Amino acid sequence: MKPIHILILIIIISCLIVGISPHLGFTANNPEIQQHILTQLRIPRVLFAFVAGAGLALCGMVFQAMFHNPLATPFTLGVASGASLGAASYVYLGFGFSLLGIDGVTLSAFVGALLAISFVYSISRLHSGFSPETLLLTGVAISFFFSSLILFTQYLSDVSDSFQIIRWLMGSLNTVGYHDLLQLLPFVALCTFAILFLRRELNLLMLGDELALSRGVSVHHIRYTLFFVSSLCVGAIVALCGPIGFVGMMVPHICRLLIGSNHSWLIPATLLVGGSFLVLCDTLARLIIAPTEIPVGVITTLLGGPFFLWLLIKFKRIGT
Amino acid sequence: MTALLNVEALCLEVDQKTLLSNISFSLLQGDYLCILGANGAGKSSLLKILMGINKATSGNILLNQQNLADLSQKKRAHQLSYVPQAQGHQLSFSVEEFIKMGRYAHHSALSDWQQADRVAVERAISITHTEDFLHRKMSTLSGGEVQRVLIAAAVCQQTPILLLDEPTSFLDPHHQIEVHKLIHTLNQQHGISIIEVSHDLNHATQHSQHILALKQGETLWYGDSSALLQSQQLHSLYEQEFVFTHHPQSGAIVALPSES
């Protein structure tokens, strides 16, 4: 099958998933209440999940391309924990600022994400022959470090703040109305446009730095730009939904298997599959033990853990 | 005639270790320069400086009379293209996609694929005879095929100078000859100036015009290729004595490692 056919198939399946999901799992019989639940809860939630999933998958795709490694994602490299720490500190310190209409919690998460990625990247550049394994282990170390700081803020917080942080750390797409969606959409859209704009550079980065440089890519500038926009996107998503893991690892990898590595096709495919995947996970989270909801982060991590192991076994040497 | 590339007194120090010291050479239009040297002699470091991966500690590189350090990565890619060693290219790109990526430097972020791009790509494909596997994935190619595709991608970059890093190291004799013929064609028929890092002493003395021999980061020998075999420096290049004989077919002098 040609990439265009695969993409059309993906579009059709995504439309079906997004169209059907809001209508599943109704318990109330009153049509008016049903209508209200549909327009004020279900539809915004599905759209919110779609945008968040698309953003997470896209950032995962960018990281995998930049580090030439299917296991490198904002989550494995500690960027998401940086964002989480930023957001948790904001909640704990009880700030209430906002800038240009952006919530302070989003900004704090963004700063945390940027700190984490700067740290990981500077470490990876200490020695020229740094292996992908070392990069991932750096990410793991940073994740541990930030997680313990999060635990520390939680320990210091009062019971209700602490509960709020725990629920949020599990990752949830529970949203009412369109406010969260409108907060998130600009970040994911900005990130998408920037990445679409840099699709050729992403292709060349996959060939390795040497070849990319020789073809004329200003590798370091492009990398900093990509770090910046993906940190912005991960920061916004983490601030609003909590750290929903593994979407950014599974989706881009599967898309690459489906449609190839050319980012002109891979970017739209990753957006659509990422969005639909998170909608699907969230619908499952709503339905499995209804009326109780499971945090969606639990579902994606349950799927993602085995996937991670499968990747590890498949790529006996990471990075090949 | 002015030189395409002029390297003057190039030095590279990393962590207080001298990797290259006082290297000078020049490359004329249509020249074929081989860089020889034992492992760790500084061949790769030199190549990396030319490509803008590493920065020289001191010295000058003039590319078409412009200082290399002042050129943007894209401008540099208009002058120099690079063929890496053919290993570890487990990519899910198709051959065609990979070759087309060689046109990057000729595009701005919003420009479309144009007639000139199509022509350049078709030409590169026909020179390198890669028509037959255009739609295969890079990861399914054999070593010889990968090397031709890597060369095709560099050729469609349309640069006056082509850098090759040990283009035949991982190939069997048949494919070595095939790739060398291709490089020869690019040099002779298409006027591309070649800089090739090589371990193949006899190939270098017979087919290139000039040789730069490096030892421990210093120039051991620089001059006409044919003269290297008469040079007193040859045994010191690889710490190895050589004996000489004539090639039964071409009559060219070939050097063989002495067994005593």
Side-chain angles (χ1 to χ4, degrees), chain A residues 46-76:
Chain A
V46 163
L47 293 177
F48 186 53
F50 189 87
V51 173
L56 287 170
L58 204 62
C59 293
M61 181 201 78
V62 167
F63 272 61
Q64 290 175 344
M66 276 195 298
F67 293 108
H68 324 126
N69 189 327
L71 297 176
T73 66
F75 285 82
T76 44

PDB file of all heavy atoms in Angstrom, chain A residues 46-76:
ATOM      1  N   VAL A  46     -13.702  14.123  24.641  1.00  0.00           N
ATOM      2  CA  VAL A  46     -13.118  13.389  23.517  1.00  0.00           C
ATOM      3  C   VAL A  46     -12.181  14.300  22.721  1.00  0.00           C
ATOM      4  O   VAL A  46     -11.075  13.901  22.343  1.00  0.00           O
ATOM      5  CB  VAL A  46     -14.231  12.801  22.622  1.00  0.00           C
ATOM      6  CG1 VAL A  46     -13.687  12.408  21.256  1.00  0.00           C
ATOM      7  CG2 VAL A  46     -14.851  11.587  23.294  1.00  0.00           C
ATOM      8  N   LEU A  47     -12.618  15.540  22.489  1.00  0.00           N
ATOM      9  CA  LEU A  47     -11.758  16.465  21.745  1.00  0.00           C
ATOM     10  C   LEU A  47     -10.470  16.759  22.517  1.00  0.00           C
ATOM     11  O   LEU A  47      -9.379  16.798  21.950  1.00  0.00           O
ATOM     12  CB  LEU A  47     -12.511  17.767  21.455  1.00  0.00           C
ATOM     13  CG  LEU A  47     -13.682  17.643  20.494  1.00  0.00           C
ATOM     14  CD1 LEU A  47     -14.398  18.984  20.340  1.00  0.00           C
ATOM     15  CD2 LEU A  47     -13.219  17.142  19.127  1.00  0.00           C
ATOM     16  N   PHE A  48     -10.645  16.948  23.818  1.00  0.00           N
ATOM     17  CA  PHE A  48      -9.501  17.211  24.690  1.00  0.00           C
ATOM     18  C   PHE A  48      -8.510  16.042  24.632  1.00  0.00           C
ATOM     19  O   PHE A  48      -7.303  16.226  24.456  1.00  0.00           O
ATOM     20  CB  PHE A  48     -10.031  17.402  26.119  1.00  0.00           C
ATOM     21  CG  PHE A  48      -8.999  17.824  27.124  1.00  0.00           C
ATOM     22  CD1 PHE A  48      -8.198  18.941  26.905  1.00  0.00           C
ATOM     23  CD2 PHE A  48      -8.838  17.110  28.303  1.00  0.00           C
ATOM     24  CE1 PHE A  48      -7.267  19.336  27.850  1.00  0.00           C
ATOM     25  CE2 PHE A  48      -7.898  17.504  29.244  1.00  0.00           C
ATOM     26  CZ  PHE A  48      -7.112  18.615  29.010  1.00  0.00           C
ATOM     27  N   ALA A  49      -9.052  14.822  24.743  1.00  0.00           N
ATOM     28  CA  ALA A  49      -8.206  13.624  24.684  1.00  0.00           C
ATOM     29  C   ALA A  49      -7.501  13.544  23.344  1.00  0.00           C
ATOM     30  O   ALA A  49      -6.314  13.213  23.257  1.00  0.00           O
ATOM     31  CB  ALA A  49      -9.052  12.370  24.909  1.00  0.00           C
ATOM     32  N   PHE A  50      -8.229  13.881  22.278  1.00  0.00           N
ATOM     33  CA  PHE A  50      -7.647  13.792  20.938  1.00  0.00           C
ATOM     34  C   PHE A  50      -6.467  14.750  20.801  1.00  0.00           C
ATOM     35  O   PHE A  50      -5.389  14.376  20.341  1.00  0.00           O
ATOM     36  CB  PHE A  50      -8.707  14.100  19.874  1.00  0.00           C
ATOM     37  CG  PHE A  50      -8.242  13.809  18.481  1.00  0.00           C
ATOM     38  CD1 PHE A  50      -8.388  12.536  17.945  1.00  0.00           C
ATOM     39  CD2 PHE A  50      -7.633  14.793  17.708  1.00  0.00           C
ATOM     40  CE1 PHE A  50      -7.942  12.248  16.669  1.00  0.00           C
ATOM     41  CE2 PHE A  50      -7.182  14.508  16.427  1.00  0.00           C
ATOM     42  CZ  PHE A  50      -7.339  13.229  15.911  1.00  0.00           C
ATOM     43  N   VAL A  51      -6.674  16.002  21.235  1.00  0.00           N
ATOM     44  CA  VAL A  51      -5.607  17.006  21.102  1.00  0.00           C
ATOM     45  C   VAL A  51      -4.403  16.614  21.964  1.00  0.00           C
ATOM     46  O   VAL A  51      -3.252  16.677  21.524  1.00  0.00           O
ATOM     47  CB  VAL A  51      -6.133  18.404  21.481  1.00  0.00           C
ATOM     48  CG1 VAL A  51      -5.006  19.414  21.513  1.00  0.00           C
ATOM     49  CG2 VAL A  51      -7.195  18.845  20.488  1.00  0.00           C
ATOM     50  N   ALA A  52      -4.676  16.166  23.198  1.00  0.00           N
ATOM     51  CA  ALA A  52      -3.578  15.779  24.084  1.00  0.00           C
ATOM     52  C   ALA A  52      -2.806  14.590  23.509  1.00  0.00           C
ATOM     53  O   ALA A  52      -1.573  14.595  23.473  1.00  0.00           O
ATOM     54  CB  ALA A  52      -4.116  15.440  25.470  1.00  0.00           C
ATOM     55  N   GLY A  53      -3.539  13.590  23.044  1.00  0.00           N
ATOM     56  CA  GLY A  53      -2.890  12.401  22.480  1.00  0.00           C
ATOM     57  C   GLY A  53      -2.065  12.757  21.253  1.00  0.00           C
ATOM     58  O   GLY A  53      -0.939  12.276  21.083  1.00  0.00           O
ATOM     59  N   ALA A  54      -2.633  13.616  20.397  1.00  0.00           N
ATOM     60  CA  ALA A  54      -1.913  14.028  19.194  1.00  0.00           C
ATOM     61  C   ALA A  54      -0.616  14.737  19.580  1.00  0.00           C
ATOM     62  O   ALA A  54       0.453  14.460  19.025  1.00  0.00           O
ATOM     63  CB  ALA A  54      -2.794  14.941  18.346  1.00  0.00           C
ATOM     64  N   GLY A  55      -0.694  15.626  20.570  1.00  0.00           N
ATOM     65  CA  GLY A  55       0.490  16.364  21.004  1.00  0.00           C
ATOM     66  C   GLY A  55       1.549  15.444  21.604  1.00  0.00           C
ATOM     67  O   GLY A  55       2.728  15.558  21.278  1.00  0.00           O
ATOM     68  N   LEU A  56       1.107  14.526  22.461  1.00  0.00           N
ATOM     69  CA  LEU A  56       2.064  13.600  23.088  1.00  0.00           C
ATOM     70  C   LEU A  56       2.765  12.745  22.034  1.00  0.00           C
ATOM     71  O   LEU A  56       3.979  12.552  22.075  1.00  0.00           O
ATOM     72  CB  LEU A  56       1.335  12.681  24.083  1.00  0.00           C
ATOM     73  CG  LEU A  56       0.890  13.326  25.390  1.00  0.00           C
ATOM     74  CD1 LEU A  56      -0.014  12.377  26.159  1.00  0.00           C
ATOM     75  CD2 LEU A  56       2.102  13.707  26.229  1.00  0.00           C
ATOM     76  N   ALA A  57       1.980  12.233  21.081  1.00  0.00           N
ATOM     77  CA  ALA A  57       2.557  11.375  20.055  1.00  0.00           C
ATOM     78  C   ALA A  57       3.548  12.161  19.196  1.00  0.00           C
ATOM     79  O   ALA A  57       4.622  11.675  18.852  1.00  0.00           O
ATOM     80  CB  ALA A  57       1.447  10.781  19.188  1.00  0.00           C
ATOM     81  N   LEU A  58       3.171  13.398  18.879  1.00  0.00           N
ATOM     82  CA  LEU A  58       4.029  14.226  18.030  1.00  0.00           C
ATOM     83  C   LEU A  58       5.374  14.506  18.714  1.00  0.00           C
ATOM     84  O   LEU A  58       6.430  14.400  18.098  1.00  0.00           O
ATOM     85  CB  LEU A  58       3.312  15.546  17.733  1.00  0.00           C
ATOM     86  CG  LEU A  58       3.748  16.266  16.480  1.00  0.00           C
ATOM     87  CD1 LEU A  58       3.462  15.412  15.263  1.00  0.00           C
ATOM     88  CD2 LEU A  58       3.030  17.591  16.366  1.00  0.00           C
ATOM     89  N   CYS A  59       5.316  14.843  20.016  1.00  0.00           N
ATOM     90  CA  CYS A  59       6.562  15.125  20.737  1.00  0.00           C
ATOM     91  C   CYS A  59       7.414  13.860  20.832  1.00  0.00           C
ATOM     92  O   CYS A  59       8.636  13.916  20.696  1.00  0.00           O
ATOM     93  CB  CYS A  59       6.275  15.651  22.132  1.00  0.00           C
ATOM     94  SG  CYS A  59       5.512  17.272  22.087  1.00  0.00           S
ATOM     95  N   GLY A  60       6.746  12.717  21.036  1.00  0.00           N
ATOM     96  CA  GLY A  60       7.485  11.455  21.059  1.00  0.00           C
ATOM     97  C   GLY A  60       8.181  11.217  19.727  1.00  0.00           C
ATOM     98  O   GLY A  60       9.351  10.831  19.683  1.00  0.00           O
ATOM     99  N   MET A  61       7.465  11.483  18.633  1.00  0.00           N
ATOM    100  CA  MET A  61       8.030  11.303  17.299  1.00  0.00           C
ATOM    101  C   MET A  61       9.277  12.163  17.114  1.00  0.00           C
ATOM    102  O   MET A  61      10.301  11.706  16.599  1.00  0.00           O
ATOM    103  CB  MET A  61       6.973  11.685  16.260  1.00  0.00           C
ATOM    104  CG  MET A  61       7.413  11.530  14.831  1.00  0.00           C
ATOM    105  SD  MET A  61       6.398  12.548  13.729  1.00  0.00           S
ATOM    106  CE  MET A  61       7.131  14.153  14.028  1.00  0.00           C
ATOM    107  N   VAL A  62       9.197  13.423  17.564  1.00  0.00           N
ATOM    108  CA  VAL A  62      10.328  14.344  17.419  1.00  0.00           C
ATOM    109  C   VAL A  62      11.536  13.828  18.205  1.00  0.00           C
ATOM    110  O   VAL A  62      12.654  13.794  17.692  1.00  0.00           O
ATOM    111  CB  VAL A  62       9.932  15.754  17.905  1.00  0.00           C
ATOM    112  CG1 VAL A  62      11.153  16.635  18.062  1.00  0.00           C
ATOM    113  CG2 VAL A  62       8.951  16.375  16.944  1.00  0.00           C
ATOM    114  N   PHE A  63      11.299  13.376  19.432  1.00  0.00           N
ATOM    115  CA  PHE A  63      12.418  12.892  20.248  1.00  0.00           C
ATOM    116  C   PHE A  63      13.042  11.639  19.631  1.00  0.00           C
ATOM    117  O   PHE A  63      14.254  11.494  19.598  1.00  0.00           O
ATOM    118  CB  PHE A  63      11.949  12.593  21.684  1.00  0.00           C
ATOM    119  CG  PHE A  63      12.028  13.791  22.577  1.00  0.00           C
ATOM    120  CD1 PHE A  63      11.289  14.927  22.294  1.00  0.00           C
ATOM    121  CD2 PHE A  63      12.857  13.798  23.679  1.00  0.00           C
ATOM    122  CE1 PHE A  63      11.370  16.050  23.108  1.00  0.00           C
ATOM    123  CE2 PHE A  63      12.945  14.909  24.501  1.00  0.00           C
ATOM    124  CZ  PHE A  63      12.198  16.034  24.223  1.00  0.00           C
ATOM    125  N   GLN A  64      12.191  10.723  19.153  1.00  0.00           N
ATOM    126  CA  GLN A  64      12.727   9.507  18.547  1.00  0.00           C
ATOM    127  C   GLN A  64      13.586   9.831  17.341  1.00  0.00           C
ATOM    128  O   GLN A  64      14.623   9.225  17.116  1.00  0.00           O
ATOM    129  CB  GLN A  64      11.585   8.564  18.142  1.00  0.00           C
ATOM    130  CG  GLN A  64      10.880   7.943  19.332  1.00  0.00           C
ATOM    131  CD  GLN A  64       9.691   7.104  18.929  1.00  0.00           C
ATOM    132  OE1 GLN A  64       9.197   7.192  17.811  1.00  0.00           O
ATOM    133  NE2 GLN A  64       9.209   6.285  19.852  1.00  0.00           N
ATOM    134  N   ALA A  65      13.147  10.823  16.556  1.00  0.00           N
ATOM    135  CA  ALA A  65      13.917  11.190  15.362  1.00  0.00           C
ATOM    136  C   ALA A  65      15.223  11.870  15.754  1.00  0.00           C
ATOM    137  O   ALA A  65      16.268  11.597  15.176  1.00  0.00           O
ATOM    138  CB  ALA A  65      13.094  12.111  14.460  1.00  0.00           C
ATOM    139  N   MET A  66      15.176  12.738  16.761  1.00  0.00           N
ATOM    140  CA  MET A  66      16.367  13.499  17.123  1.00  0.00           C
ATOM    141  C   MET A  66      17.426  12.628  17.763  1.00  0.00           C
ATOM    142  O   MET A  66      18.608  12.833  17.577  1.00  0.00           O
ATOM    143  CB  MET A  66      15.996  14.631  18.079  1.00  0.00           C
ATOM    144  CG  MET A  66      15.506  15.849  17.355  1.00  0.00           C
ATOM    145  SD  MET A  66      15.492  17.266  18.431  1.00  0.00           S
ATOM    146  CE  MET A  66      14.340  16.759  19.671  1.00  0.00           C
ATOM    147  N   PHE A  67      16.999  11.641  18.566  1.00  0.00           N
ATOM    148  CA  PHE A  67      17.976  10.802  19.253  1.00  0.00           C
ATOM    149  C   PHE A  67      18.181   9.466  18.540  1.00  0.00           C
ATOM    150  O   PHE A  67      18.875   8.595  19.057  1.00  0.00           O
ATOM    151  CB  PHE A  67      17.559  10.575  20.705  1.00  0.00           C
ATOM    152  CG  PHE A  67      17.611  11.831  21.535  1.00  0.00           C
ATOM    153  CD1 PHE A  67      16.451  12.453  21.945  1.00  0.00           C
ATOM    154  CD2 PHE A  67      18.826  12.394  21.863  1.00  0.00           C
ATOM    155  CE1 PHE A  67      16.504  13.613  22.699  1.00  0.00           C
ATOM    156  CE2 PHE A  67      18.886  13.557  22.610  1.00  0.00           C
ATOM    157  CZ  PHE A  67      17.723  14.167  23.031  1.00  0.00           C
ATOM    158  N   HIS A  68      17.576   9.277  17.391  1.00  0.00           N
ATOM    159  CA  HIS A  68      17.701   8.054  16.595  1.00  0.00           C
ATOM    160  C   HIS A  68      17.425   6.843  17.461  1.00  0.00           C
ATOM    161  O   HIS A  68      18.201   5.880  17.454  1.00  0.00           O
ATOM    162  CB  HIS A  68      19.092   7.905  15.983  1.00  0.00           C
ATOM    163  CG  HIS A  68      19.713   9.193  15.566  1.00  0.00           C
ATOM    164  ND1 HIS A  68      20.931   9.605  15.982  1.00  0.00           N
ATOM    165  CD2 HIS A  68      19.245  10.181  14.782  1.00  0.00           C
ATOM    166  CE1 HIS A  68      21.217  10.782  15.482  1.00  0.00           C
ATOM    167  NE2 HIS A  68      20.199  11.153  14.746  1.00  0.00           N
ATOM    168  N   ASN A  69      16.384   6.885  18.232  1.00  0.00           N
ATOM    169  CA  ASN A  69      16.172   5.817  19.195  1.00  0.00           C
ATOM    170  C   ASN A  69      14.687   5.705  19.522  1.00  0.00           C
ATOM    171  O   ASN A  69      14.068   6.672  19.939  1.00  0.00           O
ATOM    172  CB  ASN A  69      16.950   6.167  20.468  1.00  0.00           C
ATOM    173  CG  ASN A  69      16.967   5.033  21.443  1.00  0.00           C
ATOM    174  OD1 ASN A  69      16.021   4.263  21.538  1.00  0.00           O
ATOM    175  ND2 ASN A  69      18.055   4.928  22.170  1.00  0.00           N
ATOM    176  N   PRO A  70      14.096   4.503  19.293  1.00  0.00           N
ATOM    177  CA  PRO A  70      12.655   4.364  19.521  1.00  0.00           C
ATOM    178  C   PRO A  70      12.273   4.489  20.999  1.00  0.00           C
ATOM    179  O   PRO A  70      11.108   4.679  21.314  1.00  0.00           O
ATOM    180  CB  PRO A  70      12.346   2.969  18.991  1.00  0.00           C
ATOM    181  CG  PRO A  70      13.637   2.247  19.012  1.00  0.00           C
ATOM    182  CD  PRO A  70      14.712   3.276  18.795  1.00  0.00           C
ATOM    183  N   LEU A  71      13.249   4.361  21.901  1.00  0.00           N
ATOM    184  CA  LEU A  71      12.922   4.429  23.325  1.00  0.00           C
ATOM    185  C   LEU A  71      13.068   5.844  23.880  1.00  0.00           C
ATOM    186  O   LEU A  71      12.723   6.102  25.037  1.00  0.00           O
ATOM    187  CB  LEU A  71      13.825   3.485  24.123  1.00  0.00           C
ATOM    188  CG  LEU A  71      13.658   2.003  23.787  1.00  0.00           C
ATOM    189  CD1 LEU A  71      14.660   1.164  24.552  1.00  0.00           C
ATOM    190  CD2 LEU A  71      12.247   1.541  24.112  1.00  0.00           C
ATOM    191  N   ALA A  72      13.581   6.759  23.084  1.00  0.00           N
ATOM    192  CA  ALA A  72      13.749   8.134  23.560  1.00  0.00           C
ATOM    193  C   ALA A  72      12.455   8.906  23.358  1.00  0.00           C
ATOM    194  O   ALA A  72      12.014   9.111  22.245  1.00  0.00           O
ATOM    195  CB  ALA A  72      14.883   8.817  22.797  1.00  0.00           C
ATOM    196  N   THR A  73      11.813   9.280  24.436  1.00  0.00           N
ATOM    197  CA  THR A  73      10.598  10.082  24.361  1.00  0.00           C
ATOM    198  C   THR A  73      10.661  11.114  25.485  1.00  0.00           C
ATOM    199  O   THR A  73      11.503  11.006  26.370  1.00  0.00           O
ATOM    200  CB  THR A  73       9.327   9.228  24.561  1.00  0.00           C
ATOM    201  OG1 THR A  73       9.339   8.735  25.903  1.00  0.00           O
ATOM    202  CG2 THR A  73       9.262   8.074  23.593  1.00  0.00           C
ATOM    203  N   PRO A  74       9.769  12.111  25.460  1.00  0.00           N
ATOM    204  CA  PRO A  74       9.782  13.083  26.558  1.00  0.00           C
ATOM    205  C   PRO A  74       9.628  12.411  27.921  1.00  0.00           C
ATOM    206  O   PRO A  74      10.068  12.956  28.928  1.00  0.00           O
ATOM    207  CB  PRO A  74       8.579  13.966  26.251  1.00  0.00           C
ATOM    208  CG  PRO A  74       8.415  13.878  24.781  1.00  0.00           C
ATOM    209  CD  PRO A  74       8.815  12.477  24.416  1.00  0.00           C
ATOM    210  N   PHE A  75       9.020  11.222  27.956  1.00  0.00           N
ATOM    211  CA  PHE A  75       8.814  10.566  29.238  1.00  0.00           C
ATOM    212  C   PHE A  75      10.042   9.811  29.702  1.00  0.00           C
ATOM    213  O   PHE A  75      10.487   9.965  30.832  1.00  0.00           O
ATOM    214  CB  PHE A  75       7.581   9.651  29.183  1.00  0.00           C
ATOM    215  CG  PHE A  75       6.335  10.460  29.214  1.00  0.00           C
ATOM    216  CD1 PHE A  75       5.847  11.043  28.064  1.00  0.00           C
ATOM    217  CD2 PHE A  75       5.689  10.700  30.407  1.00  0.00           C
ATOM    218  CE1 PHE A  75       4.733  11.852  28.100  1.00  0.00           C
ATOM    219  CE2 PHE A  75       4.575  11.504  30.453  1.00  0.00           C
ATOM    220  CZ  PHE A  75       4.090  12.080  29.292  1.00  0.00           C
ATOM    221  N   THR A  76      10.630   9.027  28.788  1.00  0.00           N
ATOM    222  CA  THR A  76      11.815   8.264  29.192  1.00  0.00           C
ATOM    223  C   THR A  76      13.001   9.187  29.463  1.00  0.00           C
ATOM    224  O   THR A  76      13.897   8.828  30.210  1.00  0.00           O
ATOM    225  CB  THR A  76      12.200   7.232  28.119  1.00  0.00           C
ATOM    226  OG1 THR A  76      12.109   7.859  26.853  1.00  0.00           O
ATOM    227  CG2 THR A  76      11.287   6.052  28.156  1.00  0.00           C
TER     228      THR A  76
END
